[in-house]
Amino acid sequence: MALWGGRFSETGREELTRFSESISFDKRLYKHDIMGSKAHVTMLAAQKIIPQATAEAIKAKLDAIQGMIDRGEMEFKAELEDIHMHIESTLIAALGDEGAWLHSARSRNDQVALDIRLYLRDELDSIIEGIRSFQKALVDLADANKTVILPGFTHLQHAQVVLFAHHLLAYVEMLDRDAERLADCRKRVNVMPLGSGALAGSTLPIDRELVCRQLDFSRVTRNSMDAVADRDFAIETASALAIFGMHVSRLSEDIILWSSQEFNFIELADAFCTGSSLMPQKKNPDVAELSRGKTARLYGSLTALLTLCKGLPLTYNRDLQEDKIPLFDAIDTAHAILMVYPPMIATMNVHADRMRAMAADPALMATDVAEKLVELGVPFRTAHHRVGSLVKYCREHNKELDEVTLEEMQITIPEATAEFLKLFDPEESVGKREITGGTGYKAVASQLEYWKKQLQ
Ligand code: ARG
């Protein structure tokens, strides 16, 4: 008979049992479930709701149960529905009536809310740590390639020259906001719901603050109905992870392009690629592709959680049991990406010569010519038009921008001087962009310094 079976005359149809179980996925909450129960029982004894000796017996048995599950000795059964019932029924089987005191002033509704929050707190910490390692790998790669120049793109067209380090550090910024979002989300996860009961709290004189202190939460929830009904903290987590995935997916796209024959800007280490079962010459950037693909799952988790909650009347509804599948999948997916990505970054080979060769196209410096004219007092729109005419002239005469004579240049740009002919050097072009946030050598060096200090 199920622990809730008192009012039922018939229970346990096999298909129904299988349909409603969550143990197959919520068993991963066992440590947090036990941690919560120990804090709860300590409080029950402190409030004299149960005898001290009973509390001690329950806590000792809970520790034993944790050991049992650690060692894989707990037999998980669909009839026992979820992790809460598995632990409680094992406890009651061992302690009899003494164990039956544990669930006083508690419902699985507030218990599961507590478990997810405890679990998420740990996972958020470890994902944030993983993101820090990811950033470090990018910073190290940038540091090792401080002077490497490549074309920067807009619309996937060659635009202006930039430092490779600048490009990498753009992702370090994005990852930093991802970590910040997760840390901010953690503040709202870190609120203690136990004591909310099924929805209306308890008539027993519980001390929620004592539970809160034991479990190191920042405060207790203010409203029992909110506490058992909402999963916005899980949605926020999935949302922050979806954005993280979006960033990783963009980096993946860059890496996939860079490692193509057309770009040939980098080569990934063999360990992070696979071959083709058909084409012997292939070396595919699978980690980047799979990370881009797994990002779809992160979006799916967010969508599933939002949809799960949108039509639910207050308070708890059984639908909420389904929150764990997408939430856990999002957590697992983030961990999986974070396991493989930093070492892939750390081991990639940068083809600096190839990048430099592509950066040599004088057209990348066309904007520099227009800005030179601005310095000489020509309004930018006029300057832009003149340089545009020079580009047209070059196309018509089948010449590169740096192949025209001063006289030819002066046809479209009357203000041009000999100095203008020297504006097509990519190193010089980068070197002139020393404003804060720019791609100048010094500007990028100070970004690097900032991140090295930040990530220590
Ligand atoms: N397994 C359930 C869940 O994950 C626990 C709460 C069940 N509560 C209930 N009244 N059936 O949401």
Side-chain angles (χ1 to χ4, degrees), residues 20-57:
S20 51
E21 66 85 23
S22 58
I23 187 61
S24 55
F25 50 91
D26 68 14
K27 58 185 174 215
R28 75 162 74 185
L29 295 173
Y30 76 96
K31 277 191 189 138
H32 298 101
D33 193 77
I34 288 172
M35 190 191 290
S37 288
K38 285 170 70 181
H40 180 63
V41 99
T42 299
M43 178 279 289
L44 292 176
Q47 294 301 99
K48 310 212 178 338
I49 298 167
I50 66 170
Q52 189 63 44
T54 301
E56 295 312 322

Side-chain angles (χ1 to χ4, degrees), residues 300-331:
S301 293
L302 173 60
T303 308
L305 285 167
L306 283 167
T307 312
L308 178 70
C309 295
K310 77 179 268 294
L312 300 183
L314 293 192
T315 53
Y316 179 84
N317 297 267
R318 191 66 184 277
D319 316 43
L320 289 176
Q321 176 166 297
E322 294 285 318
D323 63 353
K324 287 162 218 69
I325 298 174
L327 181 63
F328 293 169
D329 191 61
I331 298 282

Side-chain angles (χ1 to χ4, degrees), residues 161-193:
V161 287
V162 293
L163 289 179
F164 182 53
H166 196 53
H167 193 132
L168 295 173
L169 292 178
Y171 285 109
V172 176
E173 297 281 348
M174 296 177 210
L175 290 174
D176 207 59
R177 291 191 294 275
D178 293 333
E180 263 179 38
R181 260 184 288 275
L182 291 164
D184 193 61
C185 167
R186 190 194 191 282
K187 292 183 204 158
R188 284 172 292 281
V189 169
N190 195 25
V191 181
M192 210 292 293

